[in-house]
């Protein structure tokens, strides 16, 4: 289907054609007609399917350009994704006279925000924390005047603990405000949260929201080869044109980046703790093809539009299964083919089995003596019975984490739960060390 088939304004059709947007994707074909009619939407579609333009085109079409006020609010989970959406939206400015769009993200001069009170754009794009500060705390823009709100990558914002800020903004919208929610996955928790303020919604699901048919999934049994060395072997063997390597921990991202640099691999790095200028320069170099290899963290890389990613490598299988699909979705975008490789060992089999139940069809390989061989299937997991000590530890962790959990999701709640569990484990380990030392001393005393 072509964009000119939609009931959108002529100057917008001409702008799309000039930018070489002629044929729409499936998600755009489903979303745009309903969004033009201001239908509330819950849209689940894999990353790389064209979701951003599926909401930008109708909201720009429905704007009252002569009305100088914020009419559309677009909320994105990360600075990179918000900037990317802003860049896409800003392409239309030269074709539509007087269209004004503003970006609000961390790392920018907050004093400039004050100008919003007297000089309001038509569209405001930003991250939850910054928007909450401007709209709720400083009250520079009246939420009750906004016509449309878009939540982009909603599942990620829920994982990051931003929904309390989002709730506080949405409750102040006008009763007939147009709400659109876009998400790569649609977990039950997200569904329950959205039901609090979305009514008469249309639900659109493209595919199963998980495994894309354009991506081939390969699991590699690394046979306990150290992960950094296994990654180096992978790069030397497959020589990928452009690969993203995902690590769950920032410390692993940095360690792998340094290791590959020492091996004279041209490698870029993306993680959440890079300074704004560093991230901006790094993204510029990556987009200019300076690095065939980029090491990433999950949060920093979600939603970033990098073209021609030929494959993804999971340095580890993420504990949060949904992150697997977000990682895999960086390749095979817009109906191009891609490959998602994952290192695993016997400890990861249960996660692999969960992915298979969610529709991932794996091919299998093994790594041994720097050689990658194709195999028929994975090793089977062996469930070990829990010892009495492990049962005791599990019970203490459950008690400790229950004390920090709350009914309302607050920012960093997952971190607090994790830290509470780690504190119990640390105490447990120290106690075991003390007991072992005591036993050794008793043995020595008996020997004397």
């Amino acid at each position: 289907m072509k964009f000119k088939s939609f009931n959108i304004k002529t100057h917008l059709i001409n702008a799309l054609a000039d930018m070489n947007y002629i044929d729409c994707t499936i998600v755009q074909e489903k979303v745009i007609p309903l969004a033009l009619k201001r239908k509330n939407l819950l849209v689940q579609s894999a990353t790389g399917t064209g979701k951003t333009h599926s909401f930008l085109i109708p909201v720009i079409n429905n704007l009252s350009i002569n009305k100088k006020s914020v009419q559309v609010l677009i909320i994105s989970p990360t600075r990179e994704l918000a900037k990317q959406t802003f860049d896409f939206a800003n392409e239309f400015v030269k074709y539509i006279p007087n269209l004004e769009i503003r970006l609000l993200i961390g790392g920018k001069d907050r004093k400039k925000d004050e100008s919003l009170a007297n000089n309001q754009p038509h569209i405001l794009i930003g991250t939850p924390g910054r928007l909450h500060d401007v709209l709720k705390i400083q009250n520079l823009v009246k939420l009750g005047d906004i016509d449309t709100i878009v939540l982009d990558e909603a599942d990620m914002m829920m994982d990051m603990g931003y929904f309390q800020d989002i709730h506080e903004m949405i409750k102040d919208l006008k009763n007939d405000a147009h709400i659109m929610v876009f998400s790569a996955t649609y977990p039950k928790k997200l569904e329950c949260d959205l039901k609090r303020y979305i009514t008469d919604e249309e639900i659109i699901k493209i595919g199963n929201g998980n495994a894309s048919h354009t991506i081939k999934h390969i699991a590699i049994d690394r046979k306990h080869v150290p992960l950094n060395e296994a990654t180096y072997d992978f790069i030397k063997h497959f020589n990928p044109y452009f690969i993203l390597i995902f690590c769950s921990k920032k410390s692993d991202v940095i360690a792998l980046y340094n290791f590959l640099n020492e091996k004279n691999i041209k490698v870029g790095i993306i993680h959440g703790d890079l300074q704004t200028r560093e991230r901006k320069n790094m993204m510029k170099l990556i987009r200019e093809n300076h690095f065939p290899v980029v090491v990433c963290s999950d949060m920093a890389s979600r939603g970033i539009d990098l073209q021609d990613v030929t494959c993804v490598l999971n340095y580890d299988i993420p504990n949060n299964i949904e992150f697997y699909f977000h990682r895999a979705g960086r390749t095979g975008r817009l109906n191009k083919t891609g490959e998602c490789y994952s290192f695993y060992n016997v400890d990861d089999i249960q996660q692999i089995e969960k992915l298979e139940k969610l529709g991932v069809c794996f091919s299998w390989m093994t790594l041994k003596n720097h050689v990658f061989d194709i195999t028929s299937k994975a090793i089977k997991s062996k469930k070990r019975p829990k010892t009495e000590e492990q049962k005791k530890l599990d019970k203490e962790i459950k008690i400790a984490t229950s004390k920090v959990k709350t009914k309302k999701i607050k920012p960093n709640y997952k971190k607090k739960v994790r830290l509470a569990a780690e504190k119990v484990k640390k105490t447990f380990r120290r106690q075991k060390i003390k007991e072992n030392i005591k036993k050794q001393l008793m043995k020595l005393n008996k020997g004397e």
Side-chain angles (χ1 to χ4, degrees):
M1 190 172 183
K2 300 187 182 298
F3 285 110
K4 66 181 181 180
S5 303
F6 298 123
N7 184 27
I8 55 180
K9 296 170 183 175
T10 304
H11 64 273
L12 194 52
I13 291 288
N14 294 336
L16 289 165
D18 194 52
M19 291 186 285
N20 205 30
Y21 292 119
I22 307 297
D23 298 308
C24 59
T25 65
I26 294 174
V27 69
Q28 291 161 358
E29 182 180 334
K30 299 282 187 182
V31 169
I32 291 175
L34 294 173
L36 288 169
K37 295 176 182 177
R38 293 179 53 82
K39 294 283 188 181
N40 289 340
L41 300 176
L42 300 179
V43 183
Q44 177 187 327
S45 183
T47 54
T49 53
K51 285 183 290 186
T52 304
H53 279 90
S54 73
F55 62 76
L56 281 179
I57 291 168
V59 299
I60 291 174
N61 183 83
N62 289 347
L63 287 173
S64 299
I65 296 296
N66 295 327
K67 184 180 177 183
K68 287 291 292 179
S69 65
V70 177
Q71 299 168 47
V72 178
L73 180 65
I74 301 173
I75 307 179
S76 301
T78 65
R79 298 177 189 180
E80 288 81 8
L81 185 52
K83 178 65 166 60
Q84 179 179 291
T85 303
F86 173 77
D87 290 340
F88 283 149
N90 219 32
E91 290 179 337
F92 293 94
V93 170
K94 65 179 179 181
Y95 300 99
I96 303 174
N98 303 320
L99 172 62
E100 292 186 24
I101 305 167
R102 184 80 173 267
L103 177 67
L104 289 181
I105 56 176
K108 300 290 184 181
D109 186 359
R110 290 180 178 268
K111 289 185 178 179
K112 292 182 180 179
D113 295 348
E114 296 174 5
S115 64
L116 280 169
N118 300 314
N119 185 22
Q120 295 191 7
H122 299 98
I123 301 175
L124 198 56
I125 302 170
T127 47
R130 191 64 176 270
L131 289 172
H132 183 267
D133 179 61
V134 168
L135 301 177
K136 286 290 295 181
I137 298 175
Q138 298 185 60
N139 198 27
L140 297 175
V141 175
K142 291 184 179 179
L143 282 158
D145 293 339
I146 294 174
D147 297 314
T148 300
I149 184 168
V150 178
L151 305 185
D152 193 15
E153 303 290 0
D155 53 349
M156 185 179 184
M157 288 195 282
M158 183 187 68
D159 286 335
M160 296 172 75
Y162 285 137
F163 258 56
Q164 187 59 40
D165 286 347
I166 292 170
H167 287 319
E168 290 181 13
M169 288 187 279
I170 288 182
K171 71 180 182 182
D172 287 345
L173 294 175
K174 59 178 72 172
N175 292 333
D176 62 345
H178 179 208
I179 301 175
M180 293 189 284
V181 180
F182 293 79
S183 188
T185 59
Y186 194 39
K188 194 70 178 175
K189 178 76 175 68
L190 177 62
E191 181 183 359
C192 293
D193 275 351
L194 295 175
K195 291 292 183 182
R196 291 170 59 179
Y197 46 78
I198 298 184
T199 57
D200 301 322
E201 74 278 6
E202 297 272 354
I203 298 176
I204 298 173
K205 291 188 177 183
I206 308 299
N208 63 10
N210 290 329
S212 170
H213 68 279
T214 63
I215 302 171
K216 184 178 180 181
H217 300 264
I218 305 99
I220 304 172
D221 181 3
R222 60 184 174 89
K223 297 293 184 183
H224 302 289
V225 174
L227 279 165
N228 286 355
E229 293 179 19
T231 304
Y232 178 70
D233 286 343
F234 180 95
I235 293 168
K236 299 303 289 184
H237 178 86
F238 290 98
N239 191 27
Y241 173 73
F242 183 22
I243 180 174
L244 301 183
I245 304 173
F246 285 95
C247 307
S248 296
K249 297 178 181 177
K250 184 192 70 174
S251 57
D252 287 337
V253 172
I254 295 169
L256 179 60
Y257 171 76
N258 292 334
F259 178 84
L260 294 177
N261 259 320
E262 290 172 2
K263 295 289 187 179
N264 296 318
I265 300 291
K266 289 184 178 180
V267 57
I269 184 171
I270 311 172
H271 63 76
D273 285 352
L274 290 177
Q275 295 299 314
T276 302
R277 182 176 294 180
E278 290 177 316
R279 280 193 283 188
K280 188 175 180 180
N281 291 339
M282 180 58 68
M283 290 304 301
K284 182 175 182 292
L285 291 171
I286 291 170
R287 288 195 168 104
E288 290 175 351
N289 300 317
H290 284 268
F291 304 115
V293 178
V294 180
V295 185
C296 315
S297 66
D298 286 299
M299 292 304 182
S301 300
R302 172 84 178 274
I304 293 176
D305 187 29
L306 294 173
Q307 300 297 318
D308 302 320
V309 176
T310 49
C311 67
V312 164
L313 173 63
N314 290 313
Y315 181 89
D316 49 26
I317 305 290
N319 290 326
N320 186 331
I321 287 296
E322 290 169 14
F323 283 1
Y324 177 89
F325 297 106
H326 301 325
R327 294 177 177 188
R330 307 330 308 156
T331 187
R333 296 171 70 82
L334 296 175
N335 294 319
K336 293 180 181 178
T337 58
E339 295 171 327
C340 178
Y341 294 87
S342 302
F343 285 131
Y344 77 92
N345 60 23
V346 67
D347 296 326
D348 302 310
I349 289 297
Q350 288 185 8
Q351 291 292 85
I352 292 281
E353 290 170 348
K354 285 181 184 178
L355 289 167
E356 288 183 305
K357 289 177 182 177
L358 290 170
V360 179
C361 183
F362 284 105
S363 299
W364 308 97
M365 301 187 80
T366 57
L367 168 60
K368 191 174 182 180
N369 297 326
H370 311 289
V371 176
F372 291 82
D373 288 324
I374 297 172
T375 56
S376 57
K377 61 180 182 178
I379 55 178
K380 294 294 182 182
S381 59
K382 296 179 181 178
K383 292 184 179 180
R384 299 173 184 173
K386 289 186 177 181
T387 63
E388 289 302 319
E389 287 183 350
Q390 184 62 48
K391 290 177 182 179
K392 182 182 177 182
L393 175 60
D394 290 346
K395 185 177 179 180
E396 290 179 5
I397 290 173
K398 189 175 181 179
I399 293 169
T401 54
S402 65
K403 291 179 181 178
V404 296
K405 287 182 179 179
T406 58
K407 290 183 179 179
K408 288 186 177 181
I409 296 175
K410 296 182 179 180
N412 295 322
Y413 87 100
K414 284 193 173 182
K415 183 179 179 181
K416 291 176 182 176
V417 171
R418 177 171 55 79
L419 290 174
E422 288 177 355
K423 186 177 179 180
V424 173
K425 290 178 184 177
K426 191 174 182 181
T427 303
F428 191 83
R429 284 196 297 268
R430 283 178 177 173
Q431 186 62 36
K432 289 297 297 179
I433 291 170
K434 288 180 180 178
E435 288 176 3
N436 287 334
I437 292 172
K438 189 175 180 180
K439 286 178 182 178
Q440 292 297 326
L441 289 173
M442 288 176 67
K443 286 181 181 179
L444 287 172
N445 290 333
K446 286 180 180 179
E448 293 175 357

